[in-house]
Amino acid sequence: MRTYHCFWLLFWAGQPHQSFLTPLSKRTSSFPEKEKVLILSGNSRRDIHRSKRSWMWNQFFLLEEYTGSDYQYVGKLHSDQDKGDGSLKYILSGDGAGDLFIINENTGDIQATKRLDREEKPVYILRAQAINRRTGRPVEPESEFIIKIHDINDNEPMFTKDVYNASIPEMSDVGTFVVQVTATDADDPTYGNSAKVVYSILQGQPYFSVESETGIIKTALLNMDRENREQYQVVIQAKDMGGQMGGLSGTTTVNITLTDVNDNPPRFPQSTYQFRAPESTPPDSPVGRIKANDADVDENAEIEYSITEGDGYDMFGITTDKDTQEGIITVKKPLDFENKNLYILKVEATNTHVDPRFLYLGPFKDSATVRIQVEDVDEPPVFSRPAYIMEVKEDVPINSVIGTVTAQDPDAAKNPVKYSVDRHTDMDRVFNINSGNGSIFTSKPLDRETLLWHNITVIAAEINNPKQSSRVPVFIKVLDVNDNAPEFAMFYETFVCENAKAEQLIQTLSAVDRDDPYSGHQFSFSLAPEAASSSNFTLQDNRDNTAGIFTRKTRYSRHEMSTYFLPVVISDNDYPIQSSTETVTIRVCACDHRGKMLSCNAEALIHPTGLSTGALIAILLCIIILLITVVLFAALRRQRKKEPLIISKEDIRDNIVSYNDEGGGEEDTQAFDIGTLRNPEAIDDNKLRRDIVPETLFMPRRTATVRDNTDVRDFINQRLKENDIDPTAPPYDSLATYAYEGNGSVAESLSSLESVTTDGDQDYDYLSDWGPRFKKLADMYGAMDSDKDS
């Protein structure tokens, strides 16, 4: 650090006085200095009352960053009242007094005890005063002075950022503004060149330059290409002292990125592309992808693909994948290997965002050739038409051919084709088809009035590969034939008044025909030949498909004839002519003078406020049906329901048989004779069972007569034993139930109510092995097992 010496100024105020220079006990510099003396002036003549005192000068200068081992000398205070006898005392107050700055109270020398930094505090304001030691009174008024800290170059320039980031478009012109850097110096800009900063570039040449005074960085090289180099790191230096030797410096880093511009056209990496596509490829399906490379990025690399020419211009299309910038070639129309198996396209790739500034670099597009080979596949037969429409008259005989469909195998092999009708579209099997030539013929009679259109589907399949099949709709229209006779549009039942006059219209007739002739319906009406001469009525054809019935005489009598049946013949005008005879019912009724019907044979016929005969008959039938229902219901209520022997197959317990007829109890001695049980001889030996014929006839065994006092229990046990060993004894197919089981039975209870197992746990197959006597039982339990399994 350099030490600077300043010259000292001495200011005098008031009258001229002799200046006192008192040498200091310590020196703060090795260089000779002039003493810095602050003189206090006063008046020693007592007869002149003058109290004004003042400093001769009021500021000191002191260099910062003192590095010596002794205190740094600042200056000296001296009063004109100081006689040198030690009677005065100098005191100091203000900024840093007593700590940073000290004063010799005898001599007035001021010293700095610490190293000062101008950047921390450039100015110190202090106050000085001289007082009498004995009295403690000031001999001079307190005066203020300033100590200024002189700056030295002890701070290097500092940039506002440690790292700067900037970007410019590539291919920019020389001198294009990039970024401005700024460095500040904490030294005093008003004193010397310590704070004068100059910028220079240490790294980044020859691409960039910096203005020495402003710190503005600019491009220095023409046509910098991002595709060659994108990132640059520039180091800028800021040096004070105007850049002179010995000045302090600081550096910063500037990262500069070249942004992309569209200065590169797309380029295909190869001139020809080869793809294969099966002829079964459906429309809008992709065939392949091609891509043109563009060194640019983002929107400058966006490419639009198009097919400019080629024999497949209308067969294929191309779209752009926005994510990968690839061209996707797709099928627009169905391909056919047999018609054309190779397509050649010319595809062009063009930038969508072109920068006019770089058009001089050439056209921003490229083209390539695409060859698409169509592969042959086994295709289903193809019909000659997408749909067939046929017409057939409804009176054609069965097995008449109404039309033919044709389908061929489009492949080179030309496999034979067979035809069939999809029976889901012809459930009634009205039509059939010749499997060899595709001719469609009728298999049932047709009726246009029942169904006008028949929509069927014909299937054509390859004989060698039936999976290859195709379908075609066939619409068959049934043409009309005059096969239906006209008939009345409704049932006509009218009346004539007894007092009717001749030639009076009593009813207008109209007819309908289910046929639909091309020229429209033309009906003719006439009376049947048997009624034309003897009828009491006449018929007039109106020639508009209607006719009127008129009276032939004046007055009718319902007592002579209450009802007339008038036969009317209706004919059409088509070929062949169809006619029918319809009957009009005419009743003779009593009417008032206005012709309003009053009664017809005590019946209210066609009375406006009454009911017709059909309605009365319907009401009567309803009443009869209701009565029959009530009678049947009452009869069913009276009939008792007979309970079955076994209520349910699922409910097999002890097979308790219930009888509705009950005995008379103990007093009824006729209900059962116990003596018969005790007298086996009373049994008819020759009487056999009628429910089944035994395979072998055994003679009944004679058993001894039981004593009268034998207990019934012993009697039953004896009879049970005899029946067990007697093959001729029942049951053959019967089930015997014994109510008395006895005490302490080894077999325990025979009742199924206490059985641990259920019917589902039993296997009754062994019953079939017991012979014909158990056949009935085996069939019954075997059927139960089958019902459970199902």
Side-chain angles (χ1 to χ4, degrees), residues 591-660:
C591 303
D592 57 13
H593 65 282
R594 291 177 297 181
K596 184 176 181 181
M597 182 184 65
L598 297 177
S599 64
C600 297
N601 295 335
E603 289 184 290
L605 280 177
I606 321 177
H607 198 277
T609 59
L611 296 176
S612 65
T613 304
L616 293 175
I617 294 174
I619 294 173
L620 183 59
L621 288 176
C622 291
I623 294 174
I624 294 173
I625 293 173
L626 182 61
L627 291 175
I628 294 174
T629 304
V630 172
V631 171
L632 291 176
F633 181 77
L636 292 175
R637 288 291 298 269
R638 294 192 189 95
Q639 183 181 0
R640 291 190 176 183
K641 185 178 181 182
K642 185 177 180 181
E643 297 183 358
L645 179 63
I646 299 176
I647 298 175
S648 174
K649 293 182 179 180
E650 305 294 336
D651 187 16
I652 301 176
R653 296 182 177 85
D654 284 343
N655 298 333
I656 301 175
V657 181
S658 300
Y659 299 94
N660 292 330

Side-chain angles (χ1 to χ4, degrees), residues 247-286:
L248 303 179
S249 63
T251 59
T252 187
T253 301
V254 182
N255 294 322
I256 301 175
T257 303
L258 296 184
T259 58
D260 186 58
V261 297
N262 193 6
D263 60 339
N264 293 280
R267 290 288 180 264
F268 283 106
Q270 59 193 70
S271 60
T272 304
Y273 292 86
Q274 297 277 354
F275 296 106
R276 293 180 177 272
E279 62 176 335
S280 59
T281 304
D284 298 328
S285 299

